């Protein structure tokens, strides 16, 4: 029974050793018990034992005992110990009765059938529970003793019960075999065989025990190793996937205790979707088919949380190569996966950063070998993609670079030495080099502190070109390419500084005539082409000690260093011809013109600034006198310029000190001579100069930028006086072009009307067509908004400017004022025809026609005859302050102070 227990615990060939040992020792022991008992049976009739049947009984005993223990060990459940008990009981009984037939004596043996069957039944009844005591999984000293006792009872009860049913009947004439074994010989044979068998079984048992102990020790160590591993879940599965054991690492990783998971299918570690899709079964099939299944994926703990697992499943086979289950190892890789993901993100971000930065970058180790670079580095150096440059030295890369440029190797050596000096320097350095392709590459070397260095490349071709262009633009005009103000000034200074003896320098200022009309008529693009063509003409005719430049717009400058006056005249003549000859651009013929002013160093000025200013004044003199297109500077021009500047300063003071005042000129109906309104006129009483004509100070105010604040004052003062003095008629206020271009004019008119209380219908604003034509769209938009308030809009000086019918078409003016020059020439046929045409136009447009400058009754009669609606002039009164209107008998309504 002890050997059977060993066989239960063992496996493989060791189990069979234990089973053979148990069968041999147990069977021989029972057989020896039988024959020792027979030898002790003192029957004088027994003469010996027949050998063949004696040995057959021994074989039966050993064989049936072996079969019984084998069945008990190999089978499971109740069937195992029942069959083992039956085999053992029947085997002992068969051995006993076969052994009894081997006894030889002179007579015959008779059996009591009842006792014989009782003996067999007792043997089986005691053997079955005996084997049940040591069945698989039941191990204890008490059970071992109980099992041995029950089997002993079965053997003894069978033996003595069967012996009680023996009847030996002597027979005198019974023959005896000649080969009988005497009892003495049987004692020797049994003793010898017993000792030999004992030693053999002990030897086999010892060998098996040592092997088993070694296996158990190894299994124990392995179990301790597996159970002690806490970072890995290591467990076994049966062939169907149920968990059969569980280590500490599995419990820590998955949260299940040993008793909670053993016997359950390992599919509980998968998600519901994976279980539905058969992922666990697929894993086992793959492991069985290929010898190993490896994967990574999400697995789930007892509490439902997920972790990223690395899983390995190996099939397990016994010594007969029969599949007995699977070994499964699981490792929690969540942190590693997160780290790998973070590393991948960092790597990807680094790659993105490197490959999207605007510089080529490369990292070289302490041996000057390239270990990292971005794609822009390769592109800038123009290495082919087929060339693997990682691991190559900087020196070899220099050779490859110049191989690409198809230049000599000595240049590569020079480049290498130049760059080596930079990256060997403590703080690194940089250099810029133009390569064979015409590009300029900026290279920066920065040491990292451990002998390696970082090299960055930047294609600065565009920057260099832009800087060159900026340098060119800083000294040249962008449109024409001529010298700009800065460069021209430098060259003129150099010319002045280098004059010697009788040499002189003439500065020439040029302004194109009617250039605005070219822009308005043909567009600014055509104007630019005209400027470029004229600049090209002038540039081509420049000779030694001559230069031309452009200051902006249609303003050009030139200078000539000369000795003889005829040289200067020749230069001016060449310039004038270049500026006045016809130009054909895009099949359009244009006849340009120019006004030229000349100032000479040192007679007219002592420095460059003064020289140019004087030439500019001479040029404006040419502008003012169309018949004289070339003017030389005269001292009187300076006096006039100083006068204008002084008056400009006084205008600012005049506005602050209220030196301006308003006068009013009455406007009458041409037929009834009834008053229809008053035109507001501005006057200036200077403290020293007295009254100054508007024709004198208005242009100066426009030049110095004071016309807008003066115009705003006139508008508000006129409205205030009209309300304060109770004028019941309209007042007409002139708007300057600068006021009309101001987008805030609408708000100003509205606020003035609100502050003064003047009804909008009593205000009339007069504008000239030249004020509109500058920015026609904006001006007409502003006028529409003002007219929408109820303010009337009149077009002034009609007939002297553009007199464009288009302007009358696109804006519904309330009044057209004919210029006084037509009234002054009423005796001429053309003036009458013009007036007649304008009156007809006004009638068709339902616009009032007012004629200015009526001074005589004859002029009035003609204007009435031609159909004019209103008149204004000295015939009805000169302009006067509003308070003086009370003393005039001009059909005025009663005034209030």
């Amino acid at each position: 029974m002890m050997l059977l227990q060993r066989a239960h615990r063992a496996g493989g060939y060791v189990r069979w050793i234990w089973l053979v040992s148990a069968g041999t020792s147990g069977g021989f022991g029972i057989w020896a018990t039988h024959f020792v008992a027979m030898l002790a049976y003192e029957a004088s009739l027994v003469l010996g034992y027949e050998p063949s049947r004696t040995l057959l009984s021994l074989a039966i005993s050993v064989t049936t005992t072996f079969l019984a223990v084998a069945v008990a060990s190999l089978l499971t459940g109740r069937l195992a110990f029942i069959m083992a008990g039956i085999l053992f009981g029947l085997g002992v009984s068969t051995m006993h009765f076969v052994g009894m037939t081997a006894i030889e004596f002179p007579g015959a043996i008779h059996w009591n059938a009842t006792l014989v069957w009782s003996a067999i039944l007792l043997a089986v009844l005691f053997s079955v529970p005996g084997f049940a005591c040591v069945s698989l999984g039941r191990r204890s000293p008490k059970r071992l003793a109980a099992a041995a006792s029950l089997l002993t009872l079965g053997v003894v009860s069978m033996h003595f019960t069967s012996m009680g049913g023996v009847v030996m009947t002597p027979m005198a004439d019974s023959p005896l075999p000649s080969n009988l074994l005497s009892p003495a010989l049987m004692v020797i044979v049994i003793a010898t065989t017993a000792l030999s068998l004992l030693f053999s079984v002990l030897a086999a048992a010892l060998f098996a025990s040592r092997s088993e102990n070694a296996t158990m020790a190894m299994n124990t160590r392995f179990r301790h190793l597996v159970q002690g591993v806490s970072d890995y879940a290591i467990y076994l599965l049966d062939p169907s996937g149920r968990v059969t054991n569980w280590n500490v690492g599995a419990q820590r990783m998955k949260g299940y205790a040993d008793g909670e998971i053993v016997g359950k299918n390992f599919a509980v570690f998968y998600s519901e979707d994976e279980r539905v899709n058969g992922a666990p079964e697929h894993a086992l099939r793959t492991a069985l088919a290929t010898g190993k299944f490896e994967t990574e994926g999400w697995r789930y703990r007892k509490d439902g949380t997920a972790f990223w697992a690395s899983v390995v499943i190996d099939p397990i086979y016994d010594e007969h190569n029969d599949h007995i289950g699977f070994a499964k190892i699981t490792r929690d890789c969540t942190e590693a996966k997160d780290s790998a993901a973070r590393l991948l993100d960092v790597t990807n971000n680094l790659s993105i950063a490197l490959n999207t930065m605007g510089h080529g970058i490369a990292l070289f180790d302490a041996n000057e070998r390239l270990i990292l670079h971005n794609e822009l580095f390769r592109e800038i150096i123009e290495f082919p993609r087929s060339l693997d440059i990682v691991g190559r030295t900087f020196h070899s890369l220099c050779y490859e670079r110049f191989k690409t440029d198809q230049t000599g190797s000595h240049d590569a050596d020079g480049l290498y030495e130049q760059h080596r000096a930079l990256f060997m320097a403590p703080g690194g350095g940089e250099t810029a080099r133009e390569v064979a392709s015409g590009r300029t590459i900026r290279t920066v070397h920065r040491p990292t502190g451990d002998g390696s260095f970082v090299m960055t490349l930047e294609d600065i071709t565009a920057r260099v070109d832009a800087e060159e262009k900026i340098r060119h633009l800083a000294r040249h005009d962008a449109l024409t390419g001529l010298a700009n103000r800065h460069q021209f000034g430098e060259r003129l200074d150099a010319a002045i500084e280098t004059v010697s003896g009788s040499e002189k320098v003439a500065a020439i200022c040029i302004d194109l005539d009617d250039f605005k009309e070219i822009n308005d008529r043909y567009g600014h693009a055509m104007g630019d082409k005209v400027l470029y063509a004229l600049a090209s003409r002038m540039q081509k005719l420049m000779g030694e000690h001559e230069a031309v430049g452009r200051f902006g717009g249609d303003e050009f400058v030139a200078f000539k260093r000369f000795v003889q006056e005829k040289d200067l005249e020749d230069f001016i003549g060449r310039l004038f011809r270049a500026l006045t000859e016809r130009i054909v651009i895009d099949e359009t013929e244009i006849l340009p013109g120019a006004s030229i002013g000349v100032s000479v160093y040192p007679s007219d000025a002592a420095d460059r600034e003064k020289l140019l200013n004087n030439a500019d004044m001479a040029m404006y003199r040419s502008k003012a006198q169309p018949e004289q297109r070339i003017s030389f500077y005269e001292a009187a021009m300076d006096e006039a310029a100083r006068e204008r500047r002084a008056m400009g300063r006084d205008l600012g003071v005049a506005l602050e000190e209220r030196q301006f005042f308003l006068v009013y000129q009455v406007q009458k109906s041409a037929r009834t001579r009834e008053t229809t309104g008053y035109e507001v006129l501005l006057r200036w009483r200077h403290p020293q100069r007295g009254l100054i004509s508007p024709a004198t100070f208005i242009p100066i105010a426009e030049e110095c930028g004071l016309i807008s604040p003066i115009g705003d004052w006139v508008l508000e003062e006129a409205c205030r006086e009209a309300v304060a003095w109770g004028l019941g008629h309209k007042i007409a206020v002139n708007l300057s072009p600068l006021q009309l271009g101001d987008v805030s004019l609408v708000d100003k008119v509205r606020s003035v009307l609100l502050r003064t209380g003047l009804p909008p219908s009593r205000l009339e604003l007069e504008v000239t067509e030249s004020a509109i034509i500058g920015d026609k769209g904006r001006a007409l938009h502003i006028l529409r908004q003002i007219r929408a308030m109820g303010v009337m809009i009149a077009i002034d000086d009609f007939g002297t400017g553009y007199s464009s019918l288009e302007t009358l078409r696109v804006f519904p003016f309330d009044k057209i004022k004919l210029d006084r020059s037509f009234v002054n020439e009423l005796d001429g046929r053309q003036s009458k025809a013009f007036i007649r045409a304008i009156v007809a136009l006004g009638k068709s447009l339902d616009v009032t026609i007012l004629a200015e400058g009526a001074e005589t009754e004859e002029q009035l009669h003609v204007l009435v005859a031609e159909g004019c609606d209103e008149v204004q002039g000295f015939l009805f009164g000169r302009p006067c302050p509003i308070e003086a209107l009370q003393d005039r008998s001009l059909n005025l309504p009663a005034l209030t102070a």
Side-chain angles (χ1 to χ4, degrees):
M1 289 296 99
M2 186 180 296
L3 295 175
L4 177 57
Q5 281 190 334
R6 289 294 187 98
H8 284 326
R9 295 195 297 269
Y13 72 92
V14 175
R15 171 180 285 187
W16 290 105
I17 292 176
W18 290 120
L19 291 175
V20 170
S21 299
T24 303
S25 60
F28 182 79
I30 295 168
W31 179 82
T33 300
H34 167 74
F35 278 95
V36 169
M38 293 303 296
L39 291 174
Y41 185 64
E42 296 182 359
S44 58
L45 295 177
V46 178
L47 301 176
Y49 298 89
E50 200 277 324
S52 60
R53 286 192 294 272
T54 302
L55 294 176
L56 177 59
S57 65
L58 175 60
I60 291 172
S61 179
V62 172
T63 301
T64 54
T65 303
F66 168 73
L67 291 175
V69 294
V71 167
S73 177
L74 299 178
L75 297 182
T76 58
R78 293 182 178 182
L79 182 63
F81 61 81
I82 291 174
M83 289 187 63
I86 293 173
L87 280 173
F88 186 79
L90 293 176
V92 171
S93 300
T94 303
M95 178 274 302
H96 174 77
F97 292 116
V98 171
M100 288 297 295
T101 62
I103 299 175
E104 294 294 340
F105 66 97
I109 299 177
H110 299 280
W111 300 89
N112 185 321
T114 300
L115 293 177
V116 169
W117 288 109
S118 298
I120 295 172
L121 181 59
L122 289 172
V124 173
L125 290 177
F126 282 108
S127 298
V128 170
F131 278 100
C133 289
V134 291
S135 60
L136 188 62
R138 298 181 177 182
R139 302 170 189 172
S140 69
K142 291 182 179 181
R143 287 185 175 275
L144 181 61
S149 300
L150 288 171
L151 291 186
T152 301
L153 287 173
V155 172
V156 173
S157 63
M158 184 280 302
H159 180 79
F160 289 103
T161 302
S162 64
M163 288 305 293
V166 175
V167 177
M168 301 182 70
T169 305
M171 296 177 61
D173 57 352
S174 177
L176 295 174
S178 58
N179 58 345
L180 294 178
L181 297 175
S182 65
L185 180 59
M186 283 294 294
V187 170
I188 296 172
V189 171
I190 291 173
T192 302
T193 305
L195 289 175
S196 300
L197 184 60
L198 178 61
F199 282 112
S200 298
V201 171
L202 287 175
L206 180 61
F207 173 76
S209 179
R210 288 183 176 178
S211 177
E212 183 185 29
N213 290 337
T215 302
M216 290 179 62
M218 182 178 67
N219 290 339
T220 300
R221 289 194 297 272
F222 180 74
R223 185 171 62 255
H224 290 167
L225 175 63
V226 171
Q227 291 296 331
V229 174
S230 60
D231 293 334
Y232 289 80
I234 304 174
Y235 50 97
L236 299 179
L237 307 176
D238 65 12
S240 64
R242 290 192 297 272
V243 178
T244 59
N245 73 344
W246 197 246
N247 77 332
V248 176
Q251 181 174 345
R252 184 187 67 82
M253 188 182 300
K254 300 191 177 184
Y256 292 95
D258 195 332
E260 294 175 319
I261 194 62
V262 172
K264 292 185 179 180
N265 195 287
F266 81 115
V268 297
F269 307 136
Y270 288 78
S271 68
E272 181 65 29
D273 291 340
E274 289 177 313
R275 290 198 293 269
V276 172
N277 294 329
E281 293 79 7
H282 172 72
L284 297 183
R285 287 195 302 269
T286 302
L288 198 57
T290 63
K292 184 183 288 292
F293 174 78
E294 292 186 69
T295 188
E296 288 189 354
W298 292 107
R299 295 295 182 267
Y300 296 86
R301 302 183 178 92
K302 177 183 176 181
D303 59 5
T305 59
F307 64 97
W308 187 261
S310 173
V311 178
V312 179
I313 301 177
D314 291 297
I316 301 175
Y317 300 90
D318 62 10
E319 64 274 9
H320 301 296
N321 203 33
D322 293 330
H323 177 234
I324 61 174
F326 299 92
K328 189 168 184 287
I329 301 176
T330 303
R331 182 163 60 95
D332 186 351
C333 299
T334 306
E335 185 175 350
K337 178 181 178 353
D338 293 342
S339 299
R342 288 193 297 270
L343 179 60
L344 181 61
D345 288 341
V346 171
T347 303
N348 290 337
N349 291 337
L350 176 61
S351 177
I352 292 172
L354 287 177
N355 288 305
T356 56
M357 65 189 306
H359 294 67
I361 188 168
L363 175 63
F364 290 83
D365 62 15
N367 296 320
E368 300 180 16
R369 293 188 179 276
L370 179 63
I371 58 177
L372 176 67
H373 70 91
N374 64 354
E375 285 302 313
L376 190 56
F377 176 82
R378 181 191 292 273
E379 292 175 9
I380 291 177
I381 301 184
E382 298 179 345
F383 284 151
R385 290 189 175 275
S386 58
L387 178 64
D388 185 10
I389 59 177
V390 174
R392 303 192 66 163
T393 64
F394 184 76
H395 189 261
S396 67
L397 293 178
C398 290
Y399 271 88
E400 288 293 338
R401 181 67 188 87
F402 277 89
K403 187 188 297 181
T404 304
D405 281 349
Q406 297 180 352
T407 59
S409 62
H410 61 281
D411 290 327
D413 292 334
L415 177 65
Y416 172 71
E417 293 301 329
Q418 177 187 8
H419 283 270
R420 181 174 176 80
L422 294 177
F423 60 71
M424 291 294 289
E430 64 178 75
T431 182
R433 181 185 181 94
E434 184 176 349
V435 298
S437 61
R439 297 184 305 154
T440 302
I441 307 300
R442 175 175 174 262
T443 306
V444 179
H445 297 278
R446 290 289 180 266
T448 61
D450 58 353
S452 59
F453 63 92
V454 175
M455 176 181 180
T456 57
L457 300 178
E458 182 183 6
D459 186 347
I460 59 172
T461 307
R463 185 194 308 173
V464 171
D465 293 344
E467 290 174 353
E468 182 62 31
K469 185 175 182 180
I470 290 172
R471 283 194 293 270
H472 182 271
L473 291 176
R475 299 177 58 80
H476 296 80
D477 176 58
L479 175 63
T480 64
L482 298 178
N484 62 6
R485 185 183 301 272
H486 178 69
Q487 183 187 176
F488 184 85
E490 290 181 348
R491 297 180 67 179
L492 181 56
D493 285 340
I496 292 173
E497 291 173 0
T498 56
V499 296
S500 60
S502 59
E503 284 187 323
K504 300 177 183 178
V505 178
I508 302 167
C509 287
I510 304 165
D511 190 83
L512 301 182
D513 295 336
D514 301 324
F515 183 72
K516 186 176 182 301
E517 292 186 11
I518 295 176
N519 281 331
D520 293 340
R521 183 174 181 181
Y522 301 106
H524 289 277
M526 177 63 76
D528 290 345
K529 291 180 180 179
V530 170
L531 292 175
Y532 183 81
L534 294 177
S536 299
R537 283 182 181 179
M538 289 187 288
Q539 184 66 40
K540 289 178 181 178
L541 62 84
M542 290 298 109
E544 187 178 5
H545 305 308
E546 298 172 353
V548 63
R550 180 184 177 217
F551 279 6
D554 59 347
E555 183 181 358
F556 294 89
V557 289
F559 74 79
K560 166 72 175 178
R561 183 173 163 185
F562 67 99
V563 176
Q564 302 293 330
E565 294 293 334
K566 62 181 181 63
D567 296 333
L568 175 60
E569 294 173 0
D570 174 69
F571 179 65
I572 295 173
R574 284 185 279 135
L575 283 176
F576 190 75
R577 286 191 297 273
L579 293 166
T580 55
E581 290 180 355
R582 294 181 183 275
I583 302 173
V584 178
I585 300 175
D586 298 335
E587 300 181 357
T588 301
E589 186 177 279
I590 295 175
L591 183 62
S595 298
I596 296 176
V598 184
S599 176
V600 178
Y601 171 87
S603 59
D604 294 333
D607 56 46
R608 184 240 304 172
E609 290 295 333
K610 185 64 174 175
L611 189 66
L612 288 175
N613 286 338
N614 292 345
D616 193 56
M617 283 190 288
M619 183 269 294
Y620 276 107
R621 180 180 177 184
S622 297
K623 283 290 237 188
Q625 300 175 354
E627 71 280 357
Q628 184 178 340
R629 290 303 181 192
I630 301 173
S631 300
F632 283 80
Y633 169 75
E634 297 175 1
M637 296 178 183
D638 242 355
E639 184 62 32
R642 282 195 295 272
E643 181 70 17
R644 291 174 68 87
R645 288 194 294 271
M647 188 171 291
R649 290 192 297 269
D650 291 345
L651 279 171
V653 176
L655 188 60
E656 294 177 1
E657 296 182 355
R658 301 182 65 83
Q659 296 174 11
F660 295 111
F661 64 94
L662 302 180
V663 295
Y664 298 81
Q665 187 171 28
V666 69
Q667 297 173 339
K668 295 280 189 175
S669 170
R671 287 182 173 80
T672 64
R673 299 197 180 193
E674 293 180 356
T675 300
T676 57
Y678 301 93
E679 181 179 7
V680 180
L681 301 173
L682 178 65
R683 297 292 183 265
W684 179 20
R685 183 177 289 106
H686 193 279
Q688 287 80 33
R689 303 170 187 263
L691 285 176
I692 300 178
S693 170
T696 300
F697 71 79
I698 290 296
I700 297 175
E702 291 177 343
E703 290 177 9
C704 62
L706 289 173
I707 193 63
S708 289
I710 292 175
D712 295 342
W713 179 85
V714 170
L715 177 63
E716 182 156 2
E717 186 69 9
C719 293
R720 186 190 63 78
E721 288 186 350
V723 172
W725 289 90
L727 292 177
H729 300 93
K730 294 189 298 293
I731 57 171
V733 179
N734 289 279
L735 290 180
S736 72
L738 290 178
Q739 282 180 287
L740 191 55
D742 186 0
V743 293
S744 63
L745 177 62
V746 178
D747 293 331
K748 288 180 180 179
V749 172
R750 182 181 293 109
S751 62
V752 166
L753 293 175
L754 290 175
R755 283 197 301 272
T756 61
L758 182 72
S761 59
R762 289 184 55 200
L763 176 63
E764 180 180 286
L765 297 180
E766 296 182 359
V767 297
T768 61
E769 192 176 12
S770 59
I772 297 174
I773 208 69
D775 191 343
K776 197 171 186 178
R778 174 189 287 187
L780 294 179
H781 177 67
I782 292 173
L783 291 177
R784 288 190 185 96
Q785 295 182 73
I786 295 175
R787 194 171 186 270
M789 300 179 198
V791 177
M792 299 181 66
I793 305 296
I795 184 167
D796 196 12
D797 298 337
F798 192 81
T800 60
Y802 294 92
S803 301
S804 172
L805 296 180
E806 172 68 13
T807 304
L808 295 178
R809 184 186 69 82
V810 298
F811 187 83
F813 289 96
D814 299 292
K815 184 181 291 185
I816 295 175
K817 295 186 70 174
L818 282 172
D819 188 69
R820 68 179 63 250
S821 61
F822 294 104
V823 177
N824 293 337
E825 299 175 2
L826 277 180
D827 53 346
R829 179 181 174 186
Q830 290 182 341
S831 293
K832 290 181 180 180
F834 184 83
I835 292 174
R836 190 177 303 117
I838 296 300
V839 169
L841 178 64
K843 297 298 183 184
S844 64
L845 296 176
D846 195 22
V847 177
T848 301
I849 305 298
L850 183 148
E852 295 182 301
E855 297 180 359
T856 65
E857 290 289 343
E858 291 78 8
Q859 291 174 336
L860 178 61
H861 290 315
V862 174
L863 293 174
V864 171
E866 295 297 338
C868 287
D869 300 302
E870 297 179 3
V871 291
Q872 175 183 343
F874 292 162
L875 176 63
F876 305 105
R878 292 180 176 274
C880 63
I882 194 169
E883 58 269 19
L885 294 177
Q886 298 180 38
D887 302 329
R888 303 285 180 88
S889 299
L890 296 175
N891 298 322
L892 287 174
L895 300 179
T896 57

